[in-house]
């Protein structure tokens, strides 16, 4: 079982739609969680950290459910520019190193 | 954008040849990392460095070596490239190396081993 699992998608949504991604992690000792964004053939960039209380940044909301060991990312009012791969990233409990999911591809259609 | 460059950006080589990839930063960050990214896998850590001449292995270090003789440069060497090392290689840097410290990635190097 992979330490971090994501639905690879693609998620094809129209502009203006709300879309949500989930990610599950296997190590209950994990303490830090992040969403990174990666555009096609580009490097990953931090989108937002995920806090226990949940956090919001504009149209983006991230939530953590420790009991079920998953994190989520909600994007409201999708824009064409949101089209990218979203990487779920967890700080490995034993190694203190980042563990990356394989990513979820979002394609926002005009 | 963080001041990270990678060279070369693209390389095609043959099995058995040595290859060195370079990561250069202008941020004076202490921590530097090498990852590889392959379809069906998330980014996987190859090696990392926590200071000049201080390096350690990551998850997929077999077949790779690294060196860091200056704060700004982190080199990744494939001593004898194999086709399984065809991948996209990303360098990353972070200030403190702590779990919550943001990692900034370079633009990547696409390596093809024939």
């Amino acid at each position: 079982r992979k330490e971090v699992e994501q639905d690879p998608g693609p998620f094809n949504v129209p502009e203006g739609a709300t879309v949500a991604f989930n990610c599950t992690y296997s190590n209950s000792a994990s303490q830090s969680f992040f969403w990174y964004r990666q555009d096609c053939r580009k490097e990953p960039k931090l989108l937002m950290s995920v806090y226990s209380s949940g956090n919001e940044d504009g149209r983006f909301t991230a939530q953590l459910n420790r009991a079920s060991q998953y994190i989520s990312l909600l994007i409201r009012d999708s824009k064409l520019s949101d089209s990218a791969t979203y990487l779920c990233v967890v700080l490995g409990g034993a190694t203190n190193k980042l563990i990356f999911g394989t990513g979820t591809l979002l394609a926002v259609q005009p | 954008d963080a001041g990270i460059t990678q060279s070369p950006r693209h390389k095609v080589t043959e099995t058995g040849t040595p290859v060195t990839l370079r990561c250069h930063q202008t941020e004076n960050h202490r921590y530097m990392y090498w990852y590889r990214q392959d379809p069906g896998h998330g980014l996987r850590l190859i090696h990392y460095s926590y200071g000049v001449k201080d390096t350690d292995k990551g998850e997929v270090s077999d077949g790779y070596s690294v060196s860091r003789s200056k704060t700004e440069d982190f080199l990744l060497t494939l001593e004898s490239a194999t086709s399984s090392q065809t991948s996209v290689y990303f360098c990353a840097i972070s200030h403190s190396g702590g779990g919550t410290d943001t990692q900034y990635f370079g633009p990547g190097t696409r390596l093809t081993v024939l």
Side-chain angles (χ1 to χ4, degrees):
Chain A
R1 180 186 175 187
K2 292 183 179 180
E3 289 192 64
V4 178
E5 297 205 59
Q6 299 181 249
D7 181 343
F11 283 61
N12 295 300
V13 302
E15 275 188 288
T18 295
V19 61
F21 312 133
N22 282 344
C23 161
T24 59
Y25 61 95
S26 60
N27 189 338
S28 59
S30 299
Q31 293 296 317
S32 300
F33 310 89
F34 312 89
W35 285 102
Y36 275 69
R37 171 192 168 129
Q38 186 173 22
D39 293 313
C40 186
R41 301 178 78 84
K42 297 288 189 181
E43 70 273 21
K45 293 184 179 181
L46 179 67
L47 178 66
M48 58 197 306
S49 301
V50 187
Y51 304 121
S52 296
S53 56
N55 48 303
E56 186 174 310
D57 183 2
R59 298 181 293 107
F60 298 82
T61 300
Q63 293 198 313
L64 168 64
N65 184 317
R66 286 191 183 275
S68 300
Q69 293 182 211
Y70 77 84
I71 67 174
S72 64
L73 178 67
L74 181 78
I75 306 175
R76 291 181 297 278
D77 188 22
S78 298
K79 312 290 186 189
L80 294 176
S81 58
D82 294 334
S83 297
T85 297
Y86 290 84
L87 308 177
C88 173
V89 185
V90 175
L91 183 66
T95 65
N96 202 36
K97 295 293 174 285
L98 297 182
I99 308 297
F100 288 78
T102 54
T104 296
L105 178 62
L106 171 64
V108 181
Q109 317 287 342
Chain B
D1 288 346
I4 312 169
T5 57
Q6 292 185 229
S7 58
R9 295 291 313 280
H10 302 270
K11 186 170 182 66
V12 179
T13 191
E14 294 189 350
T15 297
T17 60
V19 176
T20 295
L21 309 182
R22 180 184 184 232
C23 177
H24 179 78
Q25 60 144 330
T26 59
E27 306 296 320
N28 202 35
H29 281 8
R30 179 180 173 191
Y31 284 77
M32 300 185 75
Y33 311 81
W34 276 108
Y35 292 88
R36 60 178 290 174
Q37 186 174 35
D38 305 287
H41 295 275
L43 279 91
R44 292 179 291 174
L45 183 64
I46 304 172
H47 282 279
Y48 66 99
S49 170
Y50 47 96
V52 173
K53 298 192 188 313
D54 292 324
T55 65
D56 206 348
K57 296 179 179 180
E59 176 190 0
V60 290
S61 59
D62 287 349
Y64 302 94
S65 62
V66 289
S67 66
R68 190 167 178 201
S69 58
K70 298 185 291 185
T71 298
E72 56 266 37
D73 289 326
F74 192 31
L75 304 181
L76 177 70
T77 297
L78 291 66
E79 300 290 349
S80 178
T82 67
S83 58
S84 64
Q85 294 175 311
T86 292
S87 187
V88 180
Y89 291 85
F90 287 102
C91 173
I93 65 174
S94 68
H95 178 63
S96 69
T100 57
D101 194 27
T102 300
Q103 290 191 16
Y104 300 94
F105 286 82
T109 294
R110 293 187 173 273
L111 175 67
T112 302
V113 183
L114 302 176

